[in-house]
Amino acid sequence: MAKTDVLTLAILGILRDRPHHGYQIRKLLGVELGPFRALSYGSLYPCLRRMVEAGLIEASGDEPGNPTPASSRRARIAYSLTEAGRARLTTELANAGASSWDDDAFDVRFSLFAHTDAATRLRILEGRRSRLAERLEEVSEGLKRMHERHDAYTAELQRHGLEQVEREISWLDRLIENERSAPGGDHHGSASADH
Amino acid sequence: MAKTDVLTLAILGILRDRPHHGYQIRKLLGVELGPFRALSYGSLYPCLRRMVEAGLIEASGDEPGNPTPASSRRARIAYSLTEAGRARLTTELANAGASSWDDDAFDVRFSLFAHTDAATRLRILEGRRSRLAERLEEVSEGLKRMHERHDAYTAELQRHGLEQVEREISWLDRLIENERSAPGGDHHGSASADH
DNA sequence: TCTCCGATGTATCGGCGCGATACAACTGGT
DNA sequence: ACCAGTTGTATCGCGCCGATACATCGGAGA
């Protein structure tokens, strides 16, 4: 019951400042997380429905429930956070534990960093880093062990994966460094300011 | 009907040399593609069943269909390629078109490069490269356009994604270069030799 | 020797996310 | 006046995942 999935969290984050239509939510998510990582309508609308049922968001606008037959206007539904939704977002932002460092979860949480406190940011950053370090261990161990058993292409793929992980780790190190040297939160630009 | 999905292709590739149990298939896939990207049993067994139904693979071993009550041995099922399966693998390896450059598909195909001809390798490599180039375009365009509208963390996420894509493009460039300068296939080590 | 633990091994269930697809209305260009 | 593109809501089937259950076997330690 308490498990807030990533998609829900992302939507809560987008709806934080002002209401949006489903269509807009999808667009914004696509921009925020890069053009890849875009969610499809096949997940969006079911998720919105679930959130409405859970009382996290509210639908407003000319819903089909009110036919207004004269104007014949189509349904254009704007979703906005309820108090419960805003509360959920707050608690979820403060709670860094429980697999905030999975691949999908991490960038969603990262994109919400501006609304979090420095301690949580650091916790997530370091959690992600240690997870990546584990992977690094596994991959490089596997690389050693397979020396003769696999072809050059497979090895090349592994080496590339290894490099990607190393890159991301040093990226994280840079961010952690910045976060530590600016405990107030605002490390460059207007990160924790409202806008 | 003709659509061979990625998972099926990966399994065909693993079963190419010798039969394996489901458990082993999962392990091998995890090693080949890195410890992440591992498929779960919840996808493996259904996929194996589908492949058996499609006649691509064959199950052998003491199946539960033959109870052998005296020995009471549990089911340990070894899967092996049928002729149809081997044929499918061959045609699928030669066929580079139709989205061989999606994120998941690419590394599976790449891990099978040792069993392909140089022309196909080049086609896939270049297809992947141009797809990545498109993304690069989108992301950097988005980065420019959002200058004031987003916080520093979101921008940082974008920049990181951009760098990852750039990295992968130059990796691909290196591979393409190698592939071109060694048209026989064997660019370093024993890539296209049997083992 | 007995026992328990971890690796090997097969299998299913509920639920979620994706791609494809359909439909509707507004907007702007020619 | 028309057609194309964008905004917008919605569903269906199916693949895949995480969790879970259960069975067997080898070996390490009491």
Side-chain angles (χ1 to χ4, degrees):
Chain A
M1 205 123 178
K3 294 270 275 189
T4 310
D5 67 305
V6 209
L7 191 44
T8 299
L9 177 60
I11 295 178
L12 286 177
I14 285 195
L15 256 32
R16 199 194 97 105
D17 291 321
R18 62 183 140 298
H20 285 292
H21 292 170
Y23 190 85
Q24 294 174 315
I25 292 175
R26 183 179 183 260
K27 270 245 161 139
L28 289 172
L29 249 182
V31 174
E32 208 114 311
L33 274 25
F36 25 137
R37 198 60 100 223
L39 84 165
S40 74
Y41 295 119
S43 358
L44 214 212
Y45 288 105
C47 184
L48 286 173
R49 200 185 308 122
R50 265 175 280 152
M51 289 173 74
V52 170
E53 278 162 17
L56 297 174
I57 58 177
E58 234 173 13
S60 62
D62 28 350
E63 287 174 83
N66 182 15
T68 54
S71 67
S72 85
R73 281 201 147 277
R74 278 265 308 163
R76 304 181 76 249
I77 308 166
Y79 294 94
S80 53
L81 286 192
T82 62
E83 277 314 307
R86 192 166 299 276
R88 173 69 131 269
L89 178 59
T90 307
T91 60
E92 199 65 32
L93 280 177
N95 159 335
S99 69
S100 318
W101 17 80
D102 288 343
D103 281 324
D104 299 355
F106 174 73
D107 45 11
V108 170
R109 296 205 96 109
F110 188 88
S111 72
L112 294 171
F113 263 24
H115 311 305
T116 325
D117 58 300
T120 306
R121 290 201 290 262
L122 220 47
R123 208 157 60 242
I124 294 180
L125 252 20
E126 281 168 348
R128 173 75 177 172
R129 196 201 182 282
S130 78
R131 180 166 202 74
L132 251 34
E134 282 174 35
R135 281 190 185 176
L136 204 68
E137 198 65 30
E138 290 176 66
V139 182
S140 57
E141 202 169 320
L143 251 180
K144 255 177 285 180
R145 209 194 318 279
M146 84 169 179
H147 256 154
E148 301 295 332
R149 306 211 323 264
H150 284 290
D151 63 278
Y153 287 109
T154 312
E156 185 60 43
L157 189 59
Q158 302 266 7
R159 292 209 316 96
H160 178 241
L162 199 94
E163 200 194 312
Q164 291 280 68
V165 177
E166 280 169 353
R167 282 269 140 198
E168 183 158 352
I169 286 185
S170 62
W171 178 67
L172 286 170
D173 283 338
R174 219 186 67 229
L175 291 173
I176 291 173
E177 185 62 30
N178 271 334
E179 212 65 58
R180 284 232 178 80
S181 63
D186 206 331
H187 79 298
H188 53 183
S190 57
S192 69
D194 263 13
H195 60 273
Chain B
M1 208 117 177
K3 295 270 275 187
T4 310
D5 67 305
V6 210
L7 190 43
T8 299
L9 177 60
I11 294 177
L12 286 176
I14 285 195
L15 257 31
R16 199 194 98 104
D17 292 320
R18 62 184 141 296
H20 286 292
H21 292 170
Y23 189 85
Q24 293 174 315
I25 293 176
R26 182 176 184 263
K27 270 245 162 138
L28 289 172
L29 250 183
V31 174
E32 208 114 312
L33 273 26
F36 26 137
R37 199 60 99 223
L39 84 166
S40 74
Y41 294 120
S43 0
L44 215 212
Y45 286 106
C47 183
L48 285 174
R49 199 185 309 123
R50 267 175 281 152
M51 290 173 72
V52 169
E53 279 163 15
L56 297 174
I57 57 177
E58 234 174 12
S60 63
D62 27 350
E63 287 174 84
N66 180 15
T68 55
S71 67
S72 84
R73 281 200 148 279
R74 279 264 310 165
R76 304 180 76 247
I77 308 166
Y79 294 94
S80 54
L81 286 191
T82 62
E83 278 313 308
R86 192 166 299 276
R88 174 70 131 268
L89 178 60
T90 307
T91 60
E92 198 66 31
L93 280 177
N95 162 335
S99 69
S100 318
W101 17 80
D102 288 343
D103 282 323
D104 299 357
F106 174 73
D107 46 11
V108 169
R109 295 206 98 109
F110 188 86
S111 73
L112 294 171
F113 263 23
H115 312 305
T116 324
D117 59 300
T120 306
R121 290 200 290 264
L122 221 46
R123 208 157 59 241
I124 293 180
L125 251 20
E126 281 168 348
R128 174 75 176 169
R129 195 201 183 281
S130 77
R131 182 165 200 72
L132 251 35
E134 282 173 36
R135 281 191 185 175
L136 204 68
E137 199 64 30
E138 289 176 65
V139 181
S140 57
E141 202 169 319
L143 251 180
K144 254 176 286 177
R145 210 194 316 280
M146 83 170 178
H147 256 154
E148 301 295 333
R149 306 212 322 265
H150 283 290
D151 63 277
Y153 287 110
T154 312
E156 184 62 43
L157 188 59
Q158 302 266 8
R159 292 211 314 99
H160 178 240
L162 199 94
E163 200 194 313
Q164 291 280 68
V165 177
E166 280 169 353
R167 281 269 141 199
E168 183 158 352
I169 286 186
S170 62
W171 178 67
L172 286 170
D173 284 337
R174 220 186 66 229
L175 290 173
I176 290 174
E177 184 62 29
N178 272 333
E179 212 63 60
R180 283 236 177 78
S181 63
D186 207 331
H187 77 299
H188 53 185
S190 57
S192 70
D194 263 12
H195 58 274

